[in-house]
Amino acid sequence: MYEHINSPVNYGGVTLKNPIVFAPTSLGVSQEEMTQRLVRIAHGGCAMIILGDVPVGRHGFGPSLYTKKGFAFYRSLAEAVHKYDCKLCAQLHQSDSDLKAMLKYVPGVLTKKITPQELRPLLNEQVGPYITGLSREKIHHIIDSFGQAAVLAQKAGFDLIQIHGDRMCGSFSSALFNHRTDEYGGSAENRARFAVEAVQAVRRRLPDIPIDYKLPVRQENPAYGKAGVVESELSVFVPLLEHAGVTSFHVTLANHSDLSDTIPPANHPEFGQEGCFLKFCDQVRRYTSLPICGVGGLTRPDFVEEQLASGRIQCAAMSRQLIADPDWPEKVRSGRVSELHRCVRCNKECLGGMMAHRGVHCIYEKKENVS
Ligand SMILES: Cc1cc2nc3c(=O)[nH]c(=O)nc-3n(C[C@H](O)[C@H](O)[C@H](O)COP(=O)(O)O)c2cc1C
Ligand code: SF4
């Protein structure tokens, strides 16, 4: 039963004890609590945790790899999850928000005149001008920082690097945001250049490390996502990224629209079904034979097993399902499927908790606390 869910897999050069991965998920809790929660997820049997939003530069929203404190945090997290034979992957993240442009919204946010929901589209409006106006000197500095951050991440104990192909890589990729007229804009090849050079910066410094690329696909009809790579340009981007050194792809819908599009609830008009983004994996598959990790509404063991067995995906990443039940892999392994807390994709306490600054939680925690 569930032979593929319970078998090791080679993911771009690293052997995972099984194909179940904790998808990158910012938890919005203290570092201490984050460590506890991630160790809990590792204990539940998944083979790899992708740590969301590890900043590429010295300053960012997450702990900095460049400071003693930040580095120590990552090192102790790696040691803790390795105890459960769980790999740790650093999602290297470079924001595409224009910090100077953001400052004018600070008073509105502090006085609660601007809600987080209202802030998002306001920030998105700044992305195009910011990317288009970024100096080449700054671009080269950021690209080099991907390499520097990867070296530090490996020293801290991360086993893989994931390049976050949304955010700055994704906005450079997108003709909707990128209106540059130099070698970083214009044709699809040029718009791929930032991401390709970021991958190369890691590969040059770390010839052997597996590099996963979070590849966000922009859907045109009906339109969803603004950054990332439109389906018709995957034939350009995927081979260029592979040639630059990518060893696997983590495929999902592109960002910069509503968060509930990339984290879709069960009643979403377009992505409400289980395995909602797997069709993008099929599109990427046309251009590469590298391992592909699917994500999005993967909750039911039978369905996940089918996708793995057919070879459609090599790994199955779960965010909300492992928040709802960190023991999903272990319960499936030991024949306790009837005991699973199935994520119902309500978004109430996970995305809802994040948006309300309460931290990411789950409706099942409340039920457990009550009983
Ligand atoms: C609370 C929350 C935070 C997330 N944070 C990140 C993140 O930091 N980086 C990222 O690339 N994706 C992030 N995601 C998206 C997930 O990785 C995943 O693609 C999405 O939730 C769909 O998978 P699921 O149906 O298994 O939840 C987040 C998702 C949730 C629910
Ligand atoms: S609150 Fe829990 S059950 Fe609801 S979507 Fe989030 S993780 Fe799933």
Side-chain angles (χ1 to χ4, degrees):
M1 200 68 176
Y2 304 120
E3 183 193 335
H4 292 84
I5 293 178
N6 294 309
S7 298
V9 60
N10 182 328
Y11 191 64
V14 67
T15 302
L16 303 181
K17 66 181 173 182
N18 64 49
I20 307 303
V21 170
F22 183 50
T25 305
S26 303
L27 294 173
V29 294
S30 67
Q31 287 181 21
E32 226 176 34
E33 189 177 340
M34 198 194 319
T35 302
Q36 274 172 16
R37 304 250 321 250
L38 294 175
V39 168
R40 180 69 191 81
I41 287 170
H43 175 263
C46 77
M48 175 164 79
I49 289 173
I50 304 175
L51 189 64
D53 292 351
V54 177
V56 161
R58 281 171 192 278
H59 311 288
F61 292 114
S64 173
L65 281 162
Y66 298 83
T67 64
K68 251 190 183 170
K69 194 170 166 230
F71 186 86
F73 163 73
Y74 290 122
R75 173 126 75 191
S76 73
L77 179 64
E79 280 170 6
V81 304
H82 283 160
K83 285 189 186 139
Y84 297 95
D85 191 17
C86 178
K87 306 285 185 206
L88 190 62
C89 173
Q91 179 186 60
L92 294 187
H93 166 266
Q94 174 64 38
S95 167
D96 55 7
S97 294
D98 182 354
L99 288 179
K100 279 192 200 139
M102 277 167 78
L103 286 178
K104 68 175 175 227
Y105 300 122
V106 171
V109 172
L110 289 178
T111 54
K112 302 208 168 135
K113 283 189 183 139
I114 304 176
T115 65
Q117 287 86 337
E118 288 165 342
L119 182 63
R120 219 178 139 73
L122 291 173
L123 295 181
N124 281 346
E125 276 172 27
Q126 313 290 334
V127 171
Y130 179 54
I131 291 303
T132 305
L134 211 57
S135 73
R136 279 149 102 192
E137 194 190 356
K138 185 94 204 258
I139 290 177
H140 294 153
H141 174 72
I142 294 170
I143 286 170
D144 190 54
S145 304
F146 272 91
Q148 284 184 43
V151 169
L152 290 169
Q154 192 191 42
K155 274 196 192 137
F158 285 95
D159 307 281
L160 294 87
I161 299 298
Q162 182 185 79
I163 305 284
H164 196 336
D166 232 320
R167 300 296 152 206
M168 192 169 274
C169 289
S171 46
F172 266 91
S173 305
S174 167
L176 294 182
F177 284 136
N178 181 345
H179 302 295
R180 301 180 70 92
T181 52
D182 62 3
E183 70 272 31
Y184 290 99
S187 66
E189 284 83 354
N190 280 359
R191 280 181 280 110
R193 194 177 306 280
F194 180 89
V196 163
E197 290 183 358
V199 173
Q200 286 169 337
V202 175
R203 180 53 75 227
R204 249 196 321 276
R205 285 185 165 89
L206 300 172
D208 299 322
I209 201 154
I211 304 178
D212 192 38
Y213 190 85
K214 175 161 174 170
L215 179 54
V217 180
R218 178 154 64 85
Q219 177 172 303
E220 277 190 305
N221 191 16
Y224 278 100
K226 293 203 176 88
V229 182
V230 73
E231 183 193 343
S232 57
E233 292 179 348
L234 286 171
S235 59
V236 176
F237 277 76
V238 172
L240 283 173
L241 289 165
E242 184 172 339
H243 191 245
V246 165
T247 52
S248 56
F249 288 99
H250 179 110
V251 178
T252 182
L253 173 72
N255 216 319
H256 283 94
S257 43
D258 204 295
L259 268 181
S260 64
D261 294 334
T262 45
I263 309 171
N267 63 1
H268 190 280
E270 180 76 8
F271 301 112
Q273 75 285 21
E274 63 181 349
C276 53
F277 302 140
L278 295 182
K279 63 179 180 178
F280 300 128
C281 299
D282 302 336
Q283 294 166 6
V284 172
R285 172 58 74 218
R286 290 190 205 127
Y287 309 108
T288 183
S289 53
L290 290 177
I292 292 179
C293 181
V295 69
L298 298 176
T299 60
R300 222 163 36 89
D302 284 5
F303 181 78
V304 173
E305 176 69 18
E306 244 172 67
Q307 311 311 311
L308 293 164
S310 68
R312 191 180 192 190
I313 51 175
Q314 284 60 56
C315 279
M318 302 168 181
S319 168
R320 289 168 294 177
Q321 180 55 67
L322 292 185
I323 295 169
D325 193 343
D327 291 326
W328 191 101
E330 182 49 29
K331 285 180 181 170
V332 174
R333 194 195 64 76
S334 56
R336 292 185 290 137
V337 168
S338 62
E339 294 173 28
L340 286 175
H341 290 175
R342 274 272 307 285
C343 168
V344 292
R345 288 179 281 137
C346 63
N347 278 357
K348 281 187 184 156
E349 291 298 324
C350 49
L351 183 55
M354 184 169 89
M355 297 308 284
H357 304 291
R358 294 195 300 270
V360 171
H361 296 279
C362 177
I363 50 168
Y364 287 111
E365 289 172 37
K366 284 198 170 163
K367 282 183 188 156
E368 281 190 352
N369 290 342
V370 170
S371 58

